Amino acid sequence: MPRDNDPQAGGPRDAPDTPRERPLPHRARPPVPRPASPTRTGPAPLPAPHPERAGPPDPSGPPALRATAPPAPAPPPAGEPPRGYGAVFAVREFRAVFAAHLLSLLGVVVSELALTVLVYDLTGSPLLSALTFALGMLPYLVGGTLFSGIADRYPARRVLVTCDLICAGCVAVMVLPGTPVAGLLVLRCLVAAVSPVFTGTRMAALADILGEDDLYVLGRSLLRIVSQGALLAGFGVGGLLLAVVSPRGAITITVVTFLGSAALLRLGTRDRPARTGGGQGGTLLRESLSGARLVLGDRRIRALLLLFWLPPVFVVAPEALAAPYAEEIGAGTVALGLLMCAMPVGQIAAELYVGAVLSPRTRSRLVLPVAAVGLLPFLLYGVSPGIVPIAAALVLAGAGSAYIIGLDQWFVEAVPDELRGRAMTLLTAGLMTLQGVGMALAGLAAEFFPVHQVVAGSGVLGTLCLLLLVAEVRRTAPAHRIRTEVRDGEEQHMTSG
């Protein structure tokens, strides 16, 4: 399956559990009274999300209201179970999901490289070889929009296993010697169209496995880290593998990885019922399009989706133009490799630090400030200082993706459970599609302007767009997430801004 790389991850499908062996049950929550809202026109309103749980505040809200502070938590008992990433790995179902993700992701990266080499060997065409990579991203929009209803219509385990088996079958046909180049490209498109359904279903299933609180965001964080690590290691492994086996032989390995992923998911996860009762609400296409309208028609969810989608449009510019930039400054292939690795290294380091060290409250407070300034390191390209300063700037830009951990929590809280699979699928589809658009726009701009100016310009334009988007996210913050505290008998207001 393609990488579920989340924002700033740039990979395939790109892109949590409790210390117990069964999924964390949802806590009973008292109903929250909902104020009457005026009649409005436009998309149908979303189903009511779950009432707010006690947790970290959204730092994007208006001035604080007065309220009584919750009681201080009791001290942890002796023999307390592991926390942080350790608590996520303590959940048996998550370990199966994690292993399946790692296995199939490494296979996908190797197969992408091998398929590109195979198409070039068969045709001698650089265009068709490059098109093989592009076809890994373009069908995301179609698959994520038209088939997103699958994620809520059918049980998650069945969807995940079926997607893996479909991809294994497609790759198996690629290996056959008689498969023409056109057939290879069509099969590549089919695998890419299935990928957002798989990724969206898995993201929604993680909330069932790990609950909707801190374990969920840490589980998502781990999958992103794996996506980045596999992206770095997979191309190296693929290059070494192609030195000893043929491209078709390397692609064959992907068949095994997909089958292994399907087996892990089938045997290692529980069979939970579908969210929408098995698809009794109409045709699949209608459910998919209706879900997209509901998700995009809600102002809060739309703003959060854009905060996932918008930064990668600009973040991909230095990666897409790494080779032209190295040539522009007269650097060699070693420098090119350094430029390509710098941003993933920054992202992995920041994700590990934020997930392991910072509290959920602090992660929530970081979302909007870090998102607003994350593209500013690109401005260093404007003075074209050389490889080492630019590599440091890229590491810093990669670290800016740390805002995603807190944003994950906001998103899963904002989306009603019955729409979660479709919302997650749409999130993945938009993310991958807009990354492809960003790469194309960066390449087009580089036809008319020097590369260093294009990257610096993407930092300026992206920052301006993000400042506007951050203001919108603040405006849509739900009022019931604002917190106050009472300390030492004195009422103290705590704003979330």
Side-chain angles (χ1 to χ4, degrees):
M1 301 288 305
R3 301 182 291 282
D4 128 43
N5 234 17
D6 289 320
Q8 304 189 12
R13 69 179 201 206
D14 189 89
D17 266 17
T18 65
R20 298 174 292 181
E21 296 228 343
R22 55 182 184 275
L24 183 70
H26 291 296
R27 297 191 294 276
R29 290 168 286 197
V32 174
R34 303 177 62 84
S37 57
T39 305
R40 61 173 184 174
T41 59
L46 282 166
H50 293 304
E52 178 68 9
R53 298 175 302 282
D58 183 343
S60 59
L65 304 176
R66 299 180 177 221
T68 302
E80 184 181 8
R83 293 185 177 185
Y85 289 124
V88 178
F89 276 118
V91 182
R92 179 185 60 82
E93 281 190 272
F94 178 78
R95 293 198 298 271
V97 173
F98 182 86
H101 179 62
L102 178 61
L103 186 63
S104 62
L105 191 55
L106 284 172
V108 164
V109 176
V110 171
S111 70
E112 284 184 345
L113 182 60
L115 186 61
T116 302
V117 173
L118 176 61
V119 170
Y120 185 74
D121 288 345
L122 293 174
T123 64
S125 169
L127 174 61
L128 289 177
S129 180
L131 186 61
T132 305
F133 266 117
L135 290 177
M137 302 180 76
L138 297 178
Y140 264 76
L141 182 61
V142 175
T145 302
L146 301 184
F147 306 139
S148 64
I150 293 174
D152 291 319
R153 186 183 180 103
Y154 302 105
R157 187 176 72 176
R158 186 191 308 173
V159 173
L160 295 175
V161 172
T162 301
C163 287
D164 267 335
L165 294 178
I166 290 173
C167 292
C170 291
V171 176
V173 176
M174 291 180 188
V175 174
L176 298 177
T179 305
V181 172
L184 294 175
L185 298 180
V186 169
L187 292 168
R188 181 75 177 95
C189 285
L190 182 57
V191 171
V194 169
S195 181
V197 177
F198 180 96
T199 301
T201 304
R202 185 186 61 202
M203 289 168 65
L206 278 182
D208 297 331
I209 294 172
L210 299 174
E212 300 176 7
D213 296 315
D214 198 43
L215 287 183
Y216 170 79
V217 299
L218 292 179
R220 291 275 296 127
S221 171
L222 282 170
L223 296 186
R224 277 193 297 271
I225 292 170
V226 169
S227 295
Q228 288 294 332
L231 185 61
L232 291 174
F235 285 123
V237 172
L240 293 175
L241 192 62
L242 289 173
V244 295
V245 301
S246 67
R248 290 189 191 275
I251 294 173
T252 303
I253 295 175
T254 305
V255 179
V256 179
T257 63
F258 279 131
L259 293 176
S261 174
L264 285 168
L265 293 170
R266 175 64 180 81
L267 301 176
T269 60
R270 286 180 51 193
D271 188 17
R272 295 176 174 83
R275 286 184 171 79
T276 57
Q280 299 175 359
T283 66
L284 173 61
L285 181 59
R286 181 178 301 173
E287 283 188 20
S288 300
L289 295 178
S290 174
R293 284 194 298 269
L294 288 171
V295 169
L296 295 175
D298 182 88
R299 184 179 179 186
R300 173 65 175 174
I301 298 177
R302 185 172 63 246
L304 296 180
L305 278 173
L306 288 172
L307 198 55
F308 278 110
W309 289 344
L310 189 60
V313 175
F314 302 97
V315 162
V316 296
E319 292 182 333
L321 301 176
Y325 179 73
E327 181 180 357
E328 182 180 281
I329 64 174
T333 55
V334 174
L336 175 60
L338 181 63
L339 293 176
M340 294 296 291
C341 293
M343 206 148 27
V345 168
Q347 181 179 3
I348 292 172
E351 191 110 27
L352 285 171
Y353 176 80
V354 172
V357 176
L358 302 185
S359 67
R361 181 185 184 89
T362 303
R363 293 185 215 131
S364 185
R365 289 186 177 277
L366 286 177
V367 172
L368 298 184
V370 173
V373 303
L375 297 173
L376 290 180
F378 291 174
L379 300 183
L380 193 60
Y381 272 82
V383 297
S384 192
I387 288 296
V388 174
I390 288 298
L394 292 177
V395 170
L396 188 59
S401 66
Y403 80 94
I404 295 297
I405 295 185
L407 184 59
D408 274 336
Q409 184 64 56
W410 293 3
F411 191 70
V412 77
E413 290 174 356
V415 177
D417 181 72
E418 58 269 29
L419 281 175
R420 186 174 293 151
R422 282 168 283 182
M424 298 296 189
T425 302
L426 190 64
L427 166 61
T428 303
L431 176 64
M432 296 300 291
T433 301
L434 289 175
Q435 285 184 83
V437 171
M439 290 180 180
L441 291 176
L444 178 63
E447 292 289 328
F448 302 96
F449 303 98
V451 173
H452 69 278
Q453 292 182 6
V454 172
V455 178
S458 71
V460 173
L461 181 59
T463 299
L464 293 176
C465 293
L466 281 169
L467 288 174
L468 296 175
L469 180 56
V470 163
E472 171 68 3
V473 174
R474 285 185 182 277
R475 285 191 293 267
T476 62
H480 62 265
R481 296 200 61 177
I482 302 167
R483 299 285 186 264
T484 62
E485 283 187 346
V486 178
R487 294 177 181 171
D488 301 326
E490 178 185 358
E491 190 176 56
Q492 298 181 357
H493 296 278
M494 295 185 62
T495 66
S496 56

